[in-house]
Amino acid sequence: MCGRYALGIRAALVRQQLQEHDMPVDDAPEDDQVRQTYNFAPGNHGLVYRADVPDSGAGGRSHGSRETVGEGDQNEGEESNGLEAPAETKYKLQAMKWGLVPFWTKRNPDYGSVMRTINARDDSLAQSGGMWNTMKQKKRCIVVAQGFYEWLKKNGGKEKIPHFTKRKDGQLMCLAGLWDCVQYEGSEEKHYTYTIITTDSNKQLSFLHDRMPVILENGSDALRTWLDPQRSEWSKELQSLLKPFGDELECYPVSKEVGKVGNNSPTFIVPVASTENKNNIANFFSNAKKEAKGTEEKKEIKEEEAEIWKKGVKTEQDEQESRTTVEQNGTEDNAPLPMPAPKSAGAGSKRAHETMGDEDVFPVKAVKQEDADTAAGSTGSPNKKSGAKSRSGTSNGTKASPVQPGDQSRKITNFFSK
């Protein structure tokens, strides 16, 4: 689970709060360069906190090697022979797109493919090889959020109630993630993307879903270990950090309007029943009624209340967001899925979100190291053994409900390997 989250505050405020928890920020984007919304959806650009390392990742191999490697793979015991780590590690906040695109990708993947890499399962990272192998060793990060949404299914799934989960102390939530950088063929532009790592739900949130994002304590040794660029090989210590959150969180129902991509309101992270929630009409007028002295004044308030009930409370619609929203039952979350508008009539596909085999999601194909370096300066390792069965890093094998997107008829294999 993590298909929707909130970060409606400025980058400058995020920087300040991180620094207050002994998380240095040596570089950060300007406020107007980062999206601020209480309804972050896949495909949006979120704030990522990471070590300031080259695009090839921590301890990356020098460019120019012609060794043939498997996409996303790297020998577990392989030593780096590239750049030496700096004496003092610097950290940065960076805007990246949610939905990881691996460095070896030759051309811009279709929307459906990217939707499959918004989350990475912790159990898949425990295995050697696979799509996430280079990223988990060299490109670890923190995804900054105020909290995340999950939808509680009721009446056999016919009704979904959005819930917001946040820290009880009100501090920012640090979600464990992976990042990557890719350059498509024929383009000089670099694209930075990320994924959020999920694990089993803790007891508190098990009523919502069986998965939850990995949450690391702000400024903790665990967080510093996760981001440490000196650790450029996967280890049991790093794997042990990927576990359900041990402390108590705050979780409550919120407005159903958060389900539509593009809707944005600070009331989305306020409990529906809270007196602070102005979208709750009863709460909106409760204090006014108490303070009203005369009969005429109370009558005016009642008329105004009836008018608002008739028109409804307005929620802002992000002008930059033109995607539609469809219901889905995913293996990692139940969030309504954002979909692109059709490019042309009749261009839809019925296979966009059908169940895909593991080999479709994580293709293994020999590539030259110079091709990988050209993409993002990253490295991998030899191909997996023939006949070895891989495990999905984004799905537990449960079939998701099919949807009708615009133009996304091709599987992830076709885009992450060509």
Side-chain angles (χ1 to χ4, degrees):
M1 158 184 29
C2 192
R4 213 70 82 75
Y5 67 90
L7 188 63
I9 58 178
R10 297 179 293 110
L13 186 55
V14 171
R15 182 177 191 170
Q16 176 185 334
Q17 291 193 29
L18 293 182
Q19 290 174 332
E20 289 175 353
H21 286 82
D22 197 25
M23 298 170 65
V25 182
D26 299 288
D27 186 28
E30 298 294 331
D31 290 346
D32 58 2
Q33 296 176 323
V34 181
R35 192 186 194 96
Q36 302 168 35
T37 176
Y38 293 93
N39 192 7
F40 253 100
N44 291 161
H45 284 73
L47 269 181
V48 168
Y49 180 70
R50 67 177 180 94
D52 193 357
V53 296
D55 294 338
S56 57
R61 160 201 322 259
S62 59
H63 290 198
S65 170
R66 297 184 63 86
E67 178 184 353
T68 300
V69 300
E71 290 181 346
D73 294 341
Q74 181 169 350
N75 286 339
E76 293 291 333
E78 186 177 23
E79 295 183 0
S80 300
N81 59 1
L83 301 175
E84 295 183 359
E88 181 181 356
T89 302
K90 294 191 175 185
Y91 296 89
K92 65 191 295 186
L93 277 171
Q94 183 176 0
M96 296 188 186
K97 189 175 182 179
W98 188 11
L100 192 142
V101 180
F103 66 86
W104 62 78
T105 309
K106 299 293 182 70
R107 60 192 180 94
N108 193 8
D110 76 343
Y111 189 83
S113 300
V114 174
M115 289 299 102
R116 292 189 169 275
T117 57
I118 63 173
N119 292 148
R121 293 175 61 93
D122 62 331
D123 47 9
S124 69
L125 270 59
Q127 302 179 4
S128 61
M131 174 180 176
W132 309 113
N133 202 41
T134 296
M135 294 73 130
K136 73 182 184 183
Q137 296 183 82
K138 299 172 176 291
K139 302 176 182 181
R140 299 182 298 274
C141 67
I142 293 297
V143 180
V144 184
Q146 290 174 280
F148 60 90
Y149 299 99
E150 183 52 82
W151 276 252
L152 176 64
K153 293 191 293 184
K154 301 182 69 175
N155 301 326
K158 295 180 180 179
E159 183 181 7
K160 292 183 179 181
I161 308 299
H163 285 63
F164 184 68
T165 301
K166 67 175 185 177
R167 294 177 57 104
K168 267 206 161 185
D169 58 11
Q171 298 298 323
L172 291 174
M173 191 174 278
C174 293
L175 310 179
L178 304 173
W179 65 276
D180 209 344
C181 177
V182 62
Q183 281 182 261
Y184 303 127
E185 282 186 342
S187 173
E188 297 296 324
E189 183 180 2
K190 293 182 179 181
H191 300 270
Y192 294 89
T193 59
Y194 67 93
T195 187
I196 296 174
I197 300 173
T198 65
T199 186
D200 295 330
S201 278
N202 60 17
K203 292 182 179 179
Q204 183 186 3
L205 299 182
S206 59
F207 79 99
L208 265 180
H209 202 280
D210 60 359
R211 306 288 295 176
M212 70 178 293
V214 173
I215 304 170
L216 298 178
E217 190 64 45
N218 300 6
S220 64
D221 290 339
L223 186 144
R224 281 188 282 270
T225 297
W226 178 252
L227 295 178
D228 187 1
Q230 304 288 342
R231 302 172 188 268
S232 58
E233 293 182 0
W234 194 244
S235 64
K236 290 182 179 179
E237 182 181 13
L238 289 171
Q239 184 69 42
S240 68
L241 302 177
L242 308 179
K243 58 186 178 182
F245 192 63
D247 293 337
E248 189 176 1
L249 298 164
E250 193 170 352
C251 180
Y252 46 80
V254 292
S255 171
K256 289 186 177 182
E257 291 188 345
V258 73
K260 184 178 180 181
V261 175
N263 280 354
N264 184 31
S265 172
T267 61
F268 288 173
I269 63 174
V270 179
V272 171
S274 172
T275 56
E276 299 177 9
N277 195 334
K278 300 305 181 183
N279 278 357
N280 187 322
I281 305 299
N283 295 333
F284 186 87
F285 286 98
S286 59
N287 291 333
K289 287 181 178 179
K290 291 178 182 178
E291 297 172 359
K293 297 179 180 180
T295 304
E296 191 65 28
E297 187 176 355
K298 290 181 179 180
K299 181 179 178 182
E300 291 177 0
I301 292 175
K302 188 174 182 180
E303 291 175 351
E304 184 179 355
E305 180 179 359
E307 185 67 18
I308 292 182
W309 271 112
K310 181 179 179 181
K311 294 182 178 180
V313 180
K314 183 179 180 181
T315 297
E316 292 183 4
Q317 174 69 27
D318 193 334
E319 296 180 355
Q320 301 177 11
E321 184 62 80
S322 59
R323 293 177 294 177
T324 58
T325 310
V326 297
E327 291 294 332
Q328 63 106 19
N329 292 311
T331 60
E332 291 298 296
D333 68 276
N334 297 320
L337 187 69
M339 302 300 297
K343 293 182 179 180
S344 59
S349 167
K350 64 181 180 181
R351 299 195 308 166
H353 262 260
E354 65 182 5
T355 300
M356 297 169 65
D358 293 333
E359 292 303 325
D360 290 327
V361 180
F362 305 127
V364 178
K365 178 181 177 182
V367 295
K368 290 183 179 180
Q369 181 60 38
E370 62 178 1
D371 292 337
D373 289 337
T374 300
S378 190
T379 61
S381 71
N383 292 337
K384 298 178 184 176
K385 293 181 181 179
S386 176
K389 186 176 180 180
S390 61
R391 182 170 182 171
S392 172
T394 58
S395 171
N396 61 9
T398 305
K399 186 172 181 180
S401 299
V403 296
Q404 299 295 330
D407 182 19
Q408 50 180 52
S409 59
R410 302 181 184 179
K411 292 186 176 182
I412 195 171
T413 311
N414 300 332
F415 293 93
F416 285 174
S417 61
K418 290 184 179 181

